[in-house]
Amino acid sequence: MKFAKRYWTVLPSMILLCVFMVGPILWAFYGSLTNTSLTGVNAVNAQFVGMKNYMHMFTDRDFPNSVWLTIIFVLVSAIIAQNLLGMVVAVLMSRANKVVSQFVSISVIAAWVLPEMVAGFACYAFFSREGTLNQILGVIGLGQRDWLYAFPMFAVILANIWRGTAFSMMNYQAAIGEVDKSLIEASVVDGANAWQTFIHVTVPVIKQTIMTNLMLITLQTMSAFTLIFVMTAGGPGVKSSTLPIYAYKAAFKFGDIGYGSAIAVVMLVIGAIFGVIYIRALKDEKGVTNE
């Protein structure tokens, strides 16, 4: 009775979670064990094939390429660039005057609040053969390139950095604003310079925010689809085909729903592993802080 009184208020949210999250996950896992297709006989009468779709990944030469591209995309554009740039911008804004801080904040956040489809078209227009980047290079006398064809991953990585840095910036801006000013003043009195104060005072205080931010941007970037699809559609060929793009192509371009579901399940497992690692790191950090 006490249990019912305590948890009945969250029952609607639990039902919605099961319907819209747990249900699709279970369906995707079941679909990955079948030969379901988008058209044809298997679209109506799919058969259970066990681990055949997962075994196919070991012989599919494009799957390891997609895994590698996903690792590069997440590592460079999120874990390194967005995280560090967000930190740098947040620190600089905390020391800038109000006018400059507001201008930079609006400029950075503008890219983040754009719908991903709009941001994708904007980046496509920037990097395309007749786009803004080549127009600028032409004015200053440098050679022009078809960036989306010659360097597709470079283009989508820069686009994701441009769009996603604001999220890290806002997280770090809020965390830095909560740092006890007396700690900073004490470090200055002890003779520490700005860099030493930041490394030995600010960073230890905001470690939990750093880990939380890393977890969020890692999972967000790993599942990025629209931005890449609008800019390159995973091409040319498979040169920018990350796992979400590859799963989409397998399921809806080549009609193999079963194999596409298997790729999606692998993505889910990888994301869960990252989530567990980050959550354990957060718990360990909280334990150290409490001690």
Side-chain angles (χ1 to χ4, degrees):
M1 190 67 178
K2 290 182 178 180
F3 177 86
K5 289 182 178 180
R6 183 177 300 177
Y7 295 103
W8 73 269
T9 55
V10 299
L11 184 61
S13 61
M14 293 176 64
I15 294 174
L16 290 174
L17 186 66
C18 290
V19 172
F20 293 105
M21 184 175 177
V22 178
I25 289 174
L26 293 177
W27 185 93
F29 180 71
Y30 170 75
S32 70
L33 302 177
T34 68
N35 62 352
T36 305
S37 63
L38 193 62
T39 59
V41 177
N42 292 331
V44 180
N45 298 313
Q47 297 179 348
F48 184 83
V49 295
M51 301 299 291
K52 183 178 180 180
N53 289 319
Y54 295 96
M55 296 301 296
H56 178 47
M57 293 180 186
F58 293 99
T59 59
D60 184 357
R61 64 180 183 180
D62 292 331
F63 178 74
N65 175 69
S66 293
V67 173
W68 175 242
L69 291 178
T70 304
I71 292 172
I72 293 177
F73 184 63
V74 173
L75 179 64
V76 177
S77 71
I79 296 177
I80 296 177
Q82 287 184 24
N83 189 52
L84 292 180
L85 280 176
M87 177 77 77
V88 169
V89 174
V91 171
L92 293 177
M93 288 178 60
S94 68
R95 300 178 181 180
N97 62 58
K98 187 176 181 179
V99 175
V100 174
S101 178
Q102 289 181 345
F103 175 77
V104 174
S105 179
I106 293 173
S107 300
V108 175
I109 294 175
W112 185 64
V113 299
L114 283 175
E116 195 169 5
M117 179 71 73
V118 177
F121 277 115
C123 293
Y124 175 83
F126 182 80
F127 287 105
S128 64
R129 183 187 295 273
E130 304 297 330
T132 308
L133 180 57
N134 276 336
Q135 297 297 327
I136 295 173
L137 293 177
V139 170
I140 61 178
L142 296 179
Q144 300 181 1
R145 291 179 177 271
D146 190 345
W147 298 96
L148 296 176
Y149 182 83
F151 307 102
M153 281 305 297
F154 174 76
V156 297
I157 285 173
L158 286 184
N160 193 56
I161 294 170
W162 167 73
R163 187 171 189 274
T165 297
F167 182 78
S168 296
M169 180 203 72
M170 290 187 292
N171 285 334
Y172 291 136
Q173 191 176 12
I176 291 173
E178 295 298 321
V179 176
D180 192 343
K181 297 297 188 293
S182 62
L183 295 175
I184 297 177
E185 293 171 357
S187 67
V188 173
V189 171
D190 290 338
N193 56 35
W195 173 253
Q196 292 171 331
T197 300
F198 176 73
I199 293 298
H200 298 292
V201 177
T202 304
V203 170
V205 172
I206 66 172
K207 271 188 177 180
Q208 292 186 21
T209 300
I210 293 174
M211 295 306 301
T212 301
N213 183 70
L214 281 172
M215 178 179 68
L216 293 175
I217 63 175
T218 296
L219 298 179
Q220 288 173 355
T221 305
M222 186 181 300
S223 60
F225 174 83
T226 305
L227 187 70
I228 302 176
F229 190 79
V230 170
M231 292 181 65
T232 66
V238 294
K239 289 185 178 180
S240 60
S241 184
T242 57
L243 283 174
I245 300 293
Y246 190 58
Y248 171 83
K249 285 185 175 181
F252 299 107
K253 183 178 180 179
F254 301 112
D256 195 344
I257 300 294
Y259 188 50
S261 299
I263 299 171
V265 170
V266 170
M267 288 175 54
L268 178 65
V269 172
I270 295 174
I273 292 173
F274 273 110
V276 169
I277 292 173
Y278 284 130
I279 290 173
R280 288 183 63 88
L282 276 172
K283 288 184 178 179
D284 293 341
E285 181 59 33
K286 288 181 180 179
V288 172
T289 302
N290 293 333
E291 291 177 1

